[in-house]
Amino acid sequence: MTQIREMDSGEKRLNELGYKQELRREMTLFKTLAISFSTMTLFTGITPLYGSSLLYAGPASLVWGWVIVSFFTWFVGIAMAEICSSFPTTGSLYFWAAHLAGPRWGPFASWCCAWLETIGLIAGIGTQAYAGSQTLQSIILLCTGTNKDGGYFAPRWLFLCMYIGLTVIWAVLNTFALEVIAFIDMISIWWQVIGGLVIVIMLPLVALTTQSASYVFTSFETAPTSTGISNEAYAAVLSLLVSQYSLYGYDAAAHLTEETKGADKNGPIAILSSIGIISVFGWAYILALTFSIQDPSYLFDTSNETAGVFVPAQILYDAFHGRYQNATGAIILLFVIWGSFFFGGLSITTSAARVVYALSRDQGIPFSSVWRKVHPKHKVPSNAVWLCAAICILLGLPILKVNVVFTAITSICTIGWVGGYAVPIFARLIMKEKNFKAGPFYLGKARRPICLVAFLWICYTCSVFLLPTYYPITWATFNYAPAALGLVLGLVMLWWVVDARKWFKGPVRNIDTPNGKV
């Protein structure tokens, strides 16, 4: 006698939306949270931008900026959690945009959202590879001596090799079954929680002296000689970039909803839990670094032990060398931080490949038939994984000649990724409530004010990442993100006007629903 399989609530809703279950639905809430948390990561946003944000306006703006950004991030997360509960699909954001915008505007909204999200996620792999290579560069420098004692400082060509190496490793790992990625990401969440606690607790205890509370919480000072920026308001805006760059990525849980049990409930829980954990741990990490500074003016000195290129590494070195007269402790903690970049890049590669796969499934990418193929054994979109890796490597090639590569990739990543959030949130804001089929997580009358605040905050975030970050503006200091994004998005919009609008209708169902309704 054939046993009838009980259909999961997330799979049932997926069928109602017009999709059959093709990926394995094996992810638990904890595994989904682990991947979402790893995509945001505790260290990967704060560590590479900590130094520049501290330089712009001093510690107070950096410390309180995290609190401000965390507050507004909750509005975005809550708005997205409600939509995720109603639409638990791998296509996530662009699928949401298509259905929330209605039949008239749905295809265009879906097209814009899909490409913003794709651009942001692929650039996100690059940010992790770059910052991970930067951390490894500091580890090698301290292991072979220091900048003052003849240590080896990796040149540009080796830095690029490390960047490419990390990207390829992440692609290889993502070619295996999702259980492998989930297992690694479960290690990741413990790695970051335990490692984060060790750093947050140990660093201020090891440091011979700590900064006063008045310095950490009230000191506001610009550095016009270094940044060229003397306007205090402008400097304060730029000092918040570290927080705005760090506090996103929680949509990773939405990309895995077709592989998550009870996704209509567990997807929103994973999104909000990720924001909560990162908000608390991130602030603690910023405070630990800032309280442990020994000499603020020495951090940016190009003749210091870490060549003045990686402020957190210098803070760690000063603390441990001051106490123990060696750099062993700093090297170990830098390795913990590097591990966070490794896990983060792995998770973002997972998310990027899922978005490319979903968009290819709906024929929204050239050669879609290639990128939508699922590995016959491992049931993962392996071709999409390698496409993302290849584009990421191309983004990193200017490392050989340009100093502001990280600034450009970070801006592209943030604007694309967070900008993708804005489309479905705006559609949810203006749609008629009767057209929305609520999931278990439902905001009711609170959805309009929450969505409005979330949308305005996203617009502000995208705007500030287009600003110049150093003056005077030269070829060496220019923020290339507006030009790069303008070119890519211009081509995407041209493609829409000339051709895509004729055939791209948004998400394409692969099963027939009984009544055609979603």
Side-chain angles (χ1 to χ4, degrees):
M1 183 175 179
T2 304
Q3 186 175 1
I4 299 175
R5 179 176 66 91
E6 184 178 351
M7 186 175 288
D8 177 272
S9 61
E11 182 179 346
K12 181 180 178 182
R13 178 58 179 150
L14 183 69
N15 291 167
E16 291 174 357
L17 292 168
Y19 285 97
K20 62 183 177 181
Q21 186 72 42
E22 292 183 307
L23 304 175
R24 290 178 179 171
R25 192 176 289 273
E26 298 177 348
M27 303 284 286
T28 62
L29 171 60
F30 183 78
K31 289 179 180 179
T32 303
L33 174 59
I35 292 180
S36 181
F37 180 83
S38 297
T39 304
M40 295 183 74
T41 62
L42 174 59
F43 303 112
T44 58
I46 297 171
T47 306
L49 291 180
Y50 176 88
S52 59
S53 292
L54 181 67
L55 185 63
Y56 286 131
S61 184
L62 173 61
V63 169
W64 292 115
W66 183 270
V67 177
I68 294 169
V69 175
S70 296
F71 174 76
F72 286 106
T73 298
W74 276 104
F75 285 89
V76 181
I78 291 170
M80 290 179 61
E82 184 200 40
I83 303 171
C84 178
S85 183
S86 177
F87 299 104
T89 70
T90 289
S92 60
L93 300 182
Y94 90 95
F95 185 99
W96 302 350
H99 286 273
L100 294 172
R104 181 181 179 186
W105 293 102
F108 180 66
S110 179
W111 179 262
C112 294
C113 186
W115 277 101
L116 281 169
E117 190 178 12
T118 301
I119 292 166
L121 280 165
I122 294 175
I125 303 171
T127 64
Q128 302 301 298
Y130 189 100
S133 300
Q134 192 176 43
T135 306
L136 190 57
Q137 185 182 49
S138 295
I139 292 172
I140 295 170
L141 179 61
L142 294 181
C143 284
T144 56
T146 65
N147 184 49
K148 287 186 172 182
D149 298 326
Y152 184 73
F153 188 77
R156 288 177 185 267
W157 68 267
L158 183 56
F159 191 100
L160 178 60
C161 288
M162 292 189 288
Y163 175 98
I164 294 173
L166 282 171
T167 305
V168 170
I169 290 170
W170 293 332
V172 169
L173 289 173
N174 268 283
T175 305
F176 295 105
L178 189 66
E179 304 94 85
V180 176
I181 304 300
F183 175 76
I184 294 173
D185 281 320
M186 288 178 69
I187 297 174
S188 168
I189 194 170
W190 293 115
W191 178 283
Q192 292 182 82
V193 169
I194 296 172
L197 286 172
V198 168
I199 292 176
V200 166
I201 295 170
M202 180 181 289
L203 184 56
L205 293 177
V206 169
L208 286 176
T209 61
T210 55
Q211 295 293 330
S212 65
S214 61
Y215 170 79
V216 173
F217 293 109
T218 65
S219 178
F220 182 93
E221 51 192 61
T222 60
T225 55
S226 300
T227 64
I229 298 169
S230 56
N231 183 281
E232 293 184 353
Y234 192 78
V237 165
L238 293 181
S239 71
L240 264 64
L241 292 182
V242 61
S243 304
Q244 290 167 292
Y245 167 61
S246 303
L247 285 162
Y248 66 88
Y250 35 87
D251 60 304
H255 302 313
L256 296 168
T257 47
E258 287 186 35
E259 297 158 270
T260 302
K261 298 174 183 177
D264 52 343
K265 302 181 185 71
N266 290 334
I269 293 172
I271 289 172
L272 299 179
S273 298
S274 297
I275 296 173
I277 294 170
I278 290 293
S279 296
V280 174
F281 270 80
W283 202 51
Y285 179 47
I286 289 175
L287 290 176
L289 286 173
T290 310
F291 270 110
S292 303
I293 293 172
Q294 300 300 293
D295 181 0
S297 62
Y298 187 61
L299 294 176
F300 303 95
D301 191 336
T302 55
S303 65
N304 68 19
E305 288 79 5
T306 56
V309 297
F310 201 43
V311 167
Q314 187 64 40
I315 294 174
L316 292 171
Y317 176 85
D318 288 341
F320 282 92
H321 189 269
R323 176 73 66 177
Y324 303 111
Q325 285 71 55
N326 65 67
T328 304
I331 293 169
I332 292 172
L333 294 189
L334 280 172
F335 180 72
V336 171
I337 293 171
W338 178 85
S340 185
F341 287 114
F342 181 85
F343 292 129
L346 183 67
S347 294
I348 293 174
T349 303
T350 303
S351 292
R354 292 325 185 265
V355 172
V356 170
Y357 159 75
L359 186 56
S360 299
R361 184 173 63 180
D362 298 328
Q363 303 173 5
I365 293 180
F367 309 106
S368 289
S369 60
V370 176
W371 314 125
R372 68 169 176 253
K373 286 184 178 178
V374 175
H375 193 285
K377 179 182 178 182
H378 301 305
K379 298 298 181 182
V380 295
S382 52
N383 288 3
V385 168
W386 285 102
L387 174 64
C388 294
I391 297 173
C392 175
I393 289 171
L394 290 176
L395 281 174
L397 292 180
I399 288 170
L400 291 172
K401 294 292 182 181
V402 181
N403 292 324
V404 291
V405 172
F406 186 69
T407 301
I409 296 178
T410 299
S411 298
I412 293 169
C413 170
T414 307
I415 294 168
W417 203 335
V418 180
Y421 296 179
V423 182
I425 289 176
F426 180 74
R428 176 74 180 109
L429 173 67
I430 63 174
M431 74 178 298
K432 295 179 179 179
E433 192 63 14
K434 66 180 182 180
N435 295 331
F436 182 74
K437 181 176 179 179
F441 184 88
Y442 178 55
L443 296 177
K445 293 181 179 179
R447 60 104 177 179
R448 282 194 186 277
I450 288 174
C451 287
L452 178 61
V453 173
F455 178 73
L456 293 176
W457 176 251
I458 292 170
C459 291
Y460 166 75
T461 298
C462 292
S463 299
V464 296
F465 272 95
L466 294 172
L467 297 173
T469 53
Y470 288 94
Y471 286 87
I473 298 174
T474 65
W475 289 113
T477 62
F478 180 67
N479 183 357
Y480 290 90
L485 274 170
L487 175 63
V488 175
L489 293 178
L491 290 174
V492 168
M493 289 300 105
L494 180 63
W495 184 16
W496 171 263
V497 172
V498 173
D499 182 50
R501 64 185 175 86
K502 301 173 185 176
W503 50 263
F504 184 79
K505 303 303 178 185
V508 178
R509 295 182 177 89
N510 56 21
I511 62 174
D512 295 323
T513 54
N515 53 14
K517 294 181 180 180
V518 298

